[in-house]
Amino acid sequence: MIEVVDVSKRYGTASVLNHASFTIAEGQLTTILGPSGCGKSTMLRCLNRLERFEDGEIRVGDVVMNGTSAGASSRSAENDLMHRVRQRVGLVFQNFNLFPHLTALGNVIEAPITVKRLPRSQAEDIGRLYLNLVGLSGREHDYPARLSGGQQQRVAIARALAMEPDVVLFDEPTSALDPRLIGEVASLLRLLDELKKTLIVVTHDLDFAEAISDQVIYFEGGRAVESGSARAVFGQPSQAETRAFMNGFRSRQGTERP
């Protein structure tokens, strides 16, 4: 489903992604872990074409994104590429980014109407379906200000799903939630995983990642240092950087391993 090959991203002289490479199979729930500033959120934004990168290549299904060093594309070609990417890759932002002047249903149907050109009635049927899936049936006409943080996040998830993408990206989905709501998010992601959605979750919450992941990718220094099953990466990481990171996590839990 996804192949990232030698992707590099710089802001001025600062290198944020440094020849990052990894693959993600269709239907997997993958978490990307790593210390602050390692490039994991930037990688997520590159996958959705919110950020362009200088070198390398990203493939999402049959859509190919090349680095800017490969040559400038025309405005029309770039717009076409962004349109194709956004239809295949949904993103749930860390701060949800809901439109405050639209209801829950209005937020969910905005993209299907404007991007996919669906008739309003069809978009509303899809919107209600996904709001029901995330547990918000009956809240369709509430504005974001009337919803809790957890409910706003569910609207954001329904909005991403309403485009019926192949891949859904989640940027720090538990960062602003209390432990009870974190458990609800984990349950929702497991449901989407069972529906064979390809999910990529950037998180700093290692307990959450260990509980939900099919695959874990560990980032450090702007590159994917290690990837594997949750059991392998958390239990027996092969790379020294990953072992140091995981032992730091376990030492806080009182379960450090050699």
Side-chain angles (χ1 to χ4, degrees):
M1 174 57 70
I2 295 173
E3 185 177 15
V4 175
V5 181
D6 271 342
V7 169
S8 295
K9 168 69 179 176
R10 294 177 290 277
Y11 294 110
T13 59
S15 180
V16 181
L17 296 175
N18 184 22
H19 299 287
S21 298
F22 58 86
T23 60
I24 294 174
E26 184 176 3
Q28 280 193 320
L29 196 167
T30 299
T31 54
I32 300 179
L33 309 176
S36 297
C38 69
K40 53 188 186 292
S41 289
T42 299
M43 186 74 254
L44 210 66
R45 294 171 69 85
C46 288
L47 289 170
N48 189 244
R49 202 60 176 177
L50 284 173
E51 296 275 3
R52 300 187 193 185
F53 49 94
E54 283 76 29
D55 301 300
E57 181 179 276
I58 296 175
R59 292 179 176 269
V60 181
D62 62 350
V63 178
V64 179
M65 293 174 270
N66 290 303
T68 56
S69 65
S73 58
S74 68
R75 182 182 294 273
S76 62
E78 177 62 24
N79 288 341
D80 177 66
L81 176 60
M82 289 180 65
H83 180 77
R84 294 171 66 205
V85 171
R86 302 288 166 78
Q87 285 193 311
R88 288 166 173 77
V89 183
L91 173 60
V92 180
F93 293 92
Q94 182 176 354
N95 297 319
F96 317 142
N97 287 11
L98 300 179
F99 295 113
H101 63 289
L102 296 179
T103 64
L105 182 60
N107 270 280
V108 172
I109 68 174
E110 179 72 11
I113 290 173
T114 59
V115 177
K116 298 181 77 172
R117 307 293 186 186
L118 294 184
R120 176 171 287 272
S121 60
Q122 183 180 351
E124 287 183 349
D125 287 343
I126 292 171
R128 289 190 177 91
L129 171 69
Y130 285 111
L131 284 170
N132 180 63
L133 179 69
V134 299
L136 288 179
S137 180
R139 307 301 299 269
E140 294 91 345
H141 302 296
D142 287 349
Y143 289 89
R146 293 179 58 86
L147 299 172
S148 69
Q151 290 168 335
Q152 289 182 40
Q153 183 180 61
R154 287 169 179 264
V155 173
I157 293 171
R159 179 175 62 182
L161 293 173
M163 287 294 288
E164 301 187 327
D166 300 317
V167 181
V168 185
L169 314 175
F170 295 83
D171 190 10
E172 299 285 3
T174 64
S175 63
L177 303 180
D178 64 37
R180 178 181 61 84
L181 293 177
I182 290 173
E184 291 181 4
V185 173
S187 297
L188 181 55
L189 289 177
R190 290 192 195 97
L191 171 62
L192 298 180
D193 193 30
E194 290 172 4
L195 295 176
K196 303 304 180 184
K197 292 288 184 182
T198 302
L199 310 175
I200 305 175
V201 181
V202 162
T203 182
H204 67 281
D205 187 333
L206 301 194
D207 290 318
F208 177 74
E210 189 171 19
I212 67 169
S213 302
D214 298 321
Q215 176 180 233
V216 173
I217 299 174
Y218 177 69
F219 256 61
E220 190 167 310
R223 63 189 182 91
V225 172
E226 183 166 1
S227 66
S229 68
R231 181 186 295 272
V233 175
F234 278 94
Q236 293 182 312
S238 62
Q239 301 300 311
E241 299 97 324
T242 318
R243 287 196 296 273
F245 185 79
M246 292 300 175
N247 277 334
F249 165 57
R250 291 195 177 88
S251 67
R252 293 192 296 273
Q253 295 183 317
T255 57
E256 185 170 356
R257 298 178 187 177

